[in-house]
Amino acid sequence: MNMTVQAKPDYSTYPSLSRDQAREAARQLLAMQGDGAPADEATCRAIERFYFREARLLDEERYDDWYGLLADDLFYWMPLLENRYRRDPRALISAENMAFFDESKADIAVRLGRLSSKLVWTEDPPTRHVYVVGNVEVFTTEQSGEFEVHSTFIQYRNRSEHDDATITGRRRDLLRSVNGQYQIARRMILLSQSVLLTKNLTVFF
């Protein structure tokens, strides 16, 4: 009997960001407060469709296609949130603090390569995903073709019989239009939970 061995996806790698580049990208994300002029209706609708398609690609584990949505200079950041009293003057988020994810496109490629290896026991049987994206707000920036986008998400996961989790949060993205297609150049994920009870974080947001 002939057996066809499926080749691993060829995730092209890109240079990792230096520490200084990553910290500057984090500060850029923190400065995105939705203060720019709202984008026109056609642009808002196109970006909503972009997010809906991205959610479907992640639901269906079409990671090759999702990887193609990422800009070469991607900075993907999920900082830790600390519980603080209101009287505490320190910022809740800092570009210098630790993060769940602090990644470039090269780092994403490593994670996707690991998933495609078929050796990740936490994903065999695979997790079922449902991503819901809403509250999309789009603002223009000083750079032509780049847009500041704020959105919310719910990510539900289920695996096996009793293993499920729901994660909610907000995202801040810098989207870049390249040849008529949008790419994610910056992404900050802010979770509602300060303590994650999920068993693993092998997913993307």
Side-chain angles (χ1 to χ4, degrees):
M1 180 175 63
N2 293 330
M3 297 183 63
T4 301
V5 178
Q6 186 175 2
K8 288 198 324 184
D10 181 17
Y11 295 118
S12 299
T13 58
Y14 295 83
S16 295
L17 299 177
S18 69
R19 175 176 171 78
D20 289 343
Q21 289 172 322
R23 299 288 62 78
E24 178 57 33
R27 286 189 285 270
Q28 182 183 13
L29 284 163
L30 289 173
M32 291 166 50
Q33 298 290 327
D35 297 329
D40 61 80
E41 191 65 28
T43 299
C44 292
R45 184 58 184 149
I47 288 176
E48 282 187 332
R49 288 197 300 269
F50 172 85
Y51 281 137
F52 297 158
R53 179 172 182 266
E54 181 194 11
R56 178 167 55 84
L57 294 179
L58 290 173
D59 281 349
E60 298 172 358
E61 295 190 348
R62 292 170 54 184
Y63 294 130
D64 287 333
D65 294 330
W66 179 74
Y67 189 69
L69 305 181
L70 309 179
D72 293 353
D73 60 341
L74 170 77
F75 179 63
Y76 181 92
W77 190 41
M78 191 163 84
L80 290 168
L81 292 177
E82 298 181 5
N83 287 323
R84 299 255 183 85
Y85 289 110
R86 292 182 183 272
R87 63 177 178 268
D88 192 329
R90 293 174 297 172
L92 293 178
I93 308 169
S94 170
E96 305 301 326
N97 289 355
M98 293 184 64
F100 289 106
F101 298 121
D102 193 335
E103 299 179 324
S104 66
K105 191 169 183 176
D107 299 318
I108 296 290
V110 171
R111 292 176 61 194
L112 293 181
R114 177 176 175 270
L115 286 173
S116 69
S117 71
K118 311 299 182 184
L119 299 176
V120 183
W121 66 268
T122 56
E123 288 300 321
D124 192 14
T127 300
R128 291 170 291 274
H129 312 266
V130 176
Y131 291 82
V132 180
V133 180
N135 293 14
V136 179
E137 297 179 279
V138 184
F139 303 92
T140 60
T141 69
E142 295 180 355
Q143 182 67 39
S144 177
E146 291 189 350
F147 299 92
E148 175 184 335
V149 188
H150 296 247
S151 63
T152 58
F153 70 87
I154 300 173
Q155 196 253 5
Y156 173 76
R157 305 160 58 194
N158 179 276
R159 179 175 177 270
S160 300
E161 296 180 6
H162 307 293
D163 189 355
D164 65 358
T166 300
I167 298 177
T168 64
R170 302 192 64 90
R171 298 188 305 196
R172 295 183 196 175
D173 289 349
L174 181 70
L175 294 191
R176 182 181 299 143
S177 180
V178 179
N179 298 324
Q181 303 293 325
Y182 290 110
Q183 294 183 346
I184 302 167
R186 304 281 183 268
R187 170 163 288 176
M188 177 168 67
I189 303 107
L190 298 173
L191 300 185
S192 303
Q193 300 94 326
S194 61
V195 177
L196 284 179
L197 301 180
T198 182
K199 295 179 180 179
N200 62 70
L201 277 176
T202 59
V203 295
F204 299 93
F205 300 97

